[in-house]
Amino acid sequence: MKTLQAALDRKLNTNVARNILFFLGDGMGLTTLTAARILKGQLENQPGEETVMTMDTFPNVGLAKTYSVDFQVADSAATATAYLCGVKTNLNIVGVNAAGRNGVCRTQKGNEVTSILKWAKDAGKSVGIVTTTRVQHATPAGSYAHSASRTWYCDADMPESAKRDGCTDISFQLINNTDIDVIIGGGRKYMTPTGTKDPEYPTDFFSNGERKDGRDLIKEWQNLKTGKVAHYVWNKADFDAVDPETTDYLMALFEPGDLRYEEERDPSMDPSIVETTEKAIRILQKNPKGFFLLVEGGRIDQAHHAGRASMALHEAVAFDRAIAKGLELTEEHETLTVVMADHSQPLTFNGFPFRGNSILGKSPLWAGDMLPYTTLMYGNGPGHKIVNGTRPDIRNVDTNYIQQAAVPVDTTTHSGEDVAVLARGPMAHLFQGVNEQNYIAHAMGYAACVGADLRHCEGQTAPPLVHTTLKYNKNGAGAVSASAALLGSLLSGLLAITILM
């Protein structure tokens, strides 16, 4: 009855969003959400199933379709371009529309698309990125970069042909494309010249700087901020010493590459995603015009790729705690908070385990080969193992390990089902129903009056924001057409794109 009454009492919040908190759980499909909820409860010595995650409390829930222009199952670059820039594109491409071709620099030119982070900055808001991966990874890169390849982290990763054609690496674009106030994650080695010893791992060759152009982008970033209070830090002690009240800019790079998994993190060296989220918000929220902050739980996906369900779920639980911290530090009447995944992973939750059974344990019902199996399994992944035509006997095995998989691959693929979109705050009711993934950017932009459509500031009622259809020509080649009647010809160049493949 309390739940019903809460739904009956719910009123639409039609304020203009001063702030946007956008939480992206990479690879956080519905199975991951359910399993993480159970794990969270079990970590608190509860059965787990009835546990309420912070994201469970969001009153507005929808689904997003995740396919890219060229693939049924998308990657993190194509999806980032969709939900951040409002345009669907091809696999492995970031910040470029579907005219771009993977790895072909010349197809970038004239096909770049900007993100809601850029829209917010142009509107005078402060903007930031927090991630548990390298800051040059696909999701954060979608907010500031334009690249025909998501893997061009630094110039050493680029073919000579791309450099000759005038393309620049993602690290270079990080400090030169958009004036980002807060940058937190990993990725030190892509910012410094080849052979530069890492401050934390000076004897590890693989942690050394990788840039062939001899540029130290960290120093260049510091020089660009002359006259401002700008801090670069790489360890927790220096991070903790940063006073958000007096800080204009912060770049915090805690690892040469991606950050450590939450379960393996050294709390004396690296802050948690909760701590980094809090620091970012406290710096950004000083701006009277508000802020946009992207927070990515990026290693959820990476743990799944390794078939390590336990690690993935612990990452998701930590991500949920960061969401709670975000809600604690902001006011719902002025802050639109959106939580979603970019794509799913081939994780299944199966068997008939009893209530309270460890989510990382085994089903009590054995298979037809008279051997037990884990409650969580992967459709494909490194956990596949057949010895002499038989699955391994795991009766006496601790299943907090690489989960079993049906098909042998070195790293799991993504999966293509829709992902959940959860929202609360101003105009959160826009995030309902089943929508194309590129709708998300336009809905956030409308709510905050950033980007091309400013009618919400003028108190006008919004018609449907974007209608996306998939067309096919007679040869079966796909084309995405996103059309909208939003400000006529002014917006058509942003939202209307038809690409014949």
Side-chain angles (χ1 to χ4, degrees):
M1 289 298 293
K2 289 182 180 179
T3 303
L4 174 60
Q5 194 58 49
L8 292 170
D9 293 341
R10 193 176 301 152
K11 291 180 173 57
L12 296 185
N13 180 342
T14 58
N15 295 340
V16 172
R18 177 173 173 268
N19 311 311
I20 300 177
L21 269 176
F22 185 60
F23 289 92
L24 192 286
D26 201 312
M28 190 180 69
L30 289 173
T31 304
T32 301
L33 284 177
T34 304
R37 177 190 302 128
I38 294 173
L39 176 64
K40 181 181 179 181
Q42 292 181 345
L43 291 173
E44 298 167 353
N45 297 315
Q46 302 296 322
E49 294 82 7
E50 75 296 327
T51 300
V52 177
M53 300 271 273
T54 297
M55 63 184 91
D56 291 339
T57 67
F58 282 47
N60 300 279
V61 181
L63 294 173
K65 295 185 276 186
T66 63
Y67 66 90
S68 65
V69 170
D70 52 349
F71 279 79
Q72 285 183 338
V73 177
D75 77 319
S76 295
T79 52
T81 305
Y83 60 74
L84 289 172
C85 303
V87 175
K88 288 214 175 200
T89 192
N90 298 319
L91 214 69
N92 295 321
I93 292 175
V94 61
V96 178
N97 68 32
R101 291 292 178 268
N102 181 25
V104 183
C105 168
R106 65 179 180 274
T107 64
Q108 283 183 213
K109 306 304 180 181
N111 295 313
E112 298 90 347
V113 290
T114 57
S115 79
I116 187 168
L117 179 141
K118 178 70 162 58
W119 308 345
K121 189 67 180 186
D122 288 347
K125 297 182 184 295
S126 295
V127 297
I129 297 165
V130 171
T131 181
T132 55
T133 66
R134 66 203 79 177
V135 295
Q136 304 86 353
H137 212 255
T139 298
S143 68
Y144 63 83
H146 314 289
S147 182
S149 173
R150 58 175 287 181
T151 64
W152 292 348
Y153 301 127
C154 75
D155 66 319
D157 301 316
M158 300 177 66
E160 290 303 318
S161 60
K163 297 176 189 176
R164 287 195 303 269
D165 287 342
C167 285
T168 56
D169 61 273
I170 294 172
S171 292
F172 177 86
Q173 294 185 54
L174 171 65
I175 70 167
N176 287 288
N177 281 9
T178 303
D179 185 27
I180 304 173
D181 302 88
V182 174
I183 302 168
I184 302 177
R188 290 192 296 254
K189 65 181 180 180
Y190 305 113
M191 306 290 283
T192 56
T194 301
T196 303
K197 293 187 181 299
D198 186 81
E200 189 173 359
Y201 313 106
T203 62
D204 179 15
F205 172 82
F206 295 103
S207 297
N208 288 350
E210 295 189 1
R211 299 197 65 83
K212 289 183 177 180
D213 59 9
R215 304 180 76 149
D216 185 332
L217 296 184
I218 295 171
K219 288 183 180 177
E220 290 188 23
W221 176 84
Q222 291 172 317
N223 291 336
L224 288 169
K225 309 309 177 190
T226 300
K228 299 289 186 178
V229 180
H231 299 287
Y232 167 71
V233 301
W234 60 268
N235 60 70
K236 189 173 187 298
D238 290 343
F239 176 78
D240 289 344
V242 172
D243 181 0
E245 296 303 316
T246 60
T247 298
D248 299 314
Y249 293 93
L250 172 63
M251 178 184 286
L253 304 178
F254 296 109
E255 289 290 332
D258 300 319
L259 302 191
R260 296 182 181 275
Y261 288 118
E262 178 64 20
E263 284 295 276
E264 299 172 345
R265 178 176 62 87
D266 180 352
S268 69
M269 287 300 295
D270 301 325
S272 68
I273 189 174
V274 176
E275 294 170 293
T276 54
T277 298
E278 177 172 7
K279 184 80 76 173
I281 292 173
R282 292 195 183 279
I283 292 173
L284 299 175
Q285 67 185 2
K286 299 193 303 293
N287 187 336
K289 292 186 177 181
F291 66 83
F292 171 86
L293 176 63
L294 166 65
V295 179
E296 183 201 19
R299 302 224 69 189
I300 301 170
D301 180 66
Q302 293 177 342
H304 278 317
H305 278 302
R308 303 176 71 184
S310 175
M311 286 295 183
L313 300 188
H314 280 90
E315 291 295 306
V317 170
F319 181 66
D320 191 65
R321 292 183 180 129
I323 296 169
K325 179 58 69 173
L327 296 183
E328 174 190 323
L329 294 172
T330 57
E331 298 292 337
E332 186 165 347
H333 73 274
E334 65 174 9
T335 302
L336 171 64
T337 305
V338 178
V339 179
M340 67 176 290
D342 50 355
H343 56 75
S344 188
Q345 280 274 357
L347 182 70
T348 64
F349 181 5
N350 69 122
F352 286 96
F354 299 110
R355 277 288 304 275
N357 191 61
S358 170
I359 190 62
L360 300 170
K362 312 176 188 75
S363 171
L365 298 181
W366 289 13
D369 57 6
M370 299 307 295
L371 290 172
Y373 56 91
T374 51
T375 300
L376 296 176
M377 302 176 71
Y378 289 95
N380 59 49
H384 177 88
K385 188 175 184 180
I386 299 291
V387 179
N388 296 324
T390 304
R391 295 188 305 117
D393 186 347
I394 60 171
R395 279 177 291 183
N396 298 314
V397 174
D398 179 359
T399 51
N400 185 1
Y401 68 151
I402 295 179
Q403 305 298 123
Q404 295 176 330
V407 176
V409 295
D410 291 337
T411 176
T412 69
T413 65
H414 297 163
S415 56
E417 68 269 24
D418 299 350
V419 294
V421 182
L422 308 103
R424 63 191 306 161
M427 304 305 291
H429 55 280
L430 294 177
F431 301 87
Q432 295 189 36
V434 181
N435 292 293
E436 297 289 351
Q437 197 168 38
N438 55 313
Y439 167 86
I440 304 302
H442 299 294
M444 289 193 293
Y446 180 87
C449 289
V450 299
D453 186 0
L454 305 179
R455 287 171 304 131
H456 184 43
C457 304
E458 301 160 5
Q460 298 183 26
T461 302
L465 290 177
V466 178
H467 176 64
T468 304
T469 56
L470 184 64
K471 299 179 180 178
Y472 290 89
N473 64 27
K474 62 182 179 181
N475 296 318
V480 164
S481 172
S483 60
L486 305 175
L487 299 183
S489 61
L490 176 63
L491 193 57
S492 63
L494 176 65
L495 299 183
I497 173 171
T498 301
I499 304 300
L500 292 178
M501 313 239 332

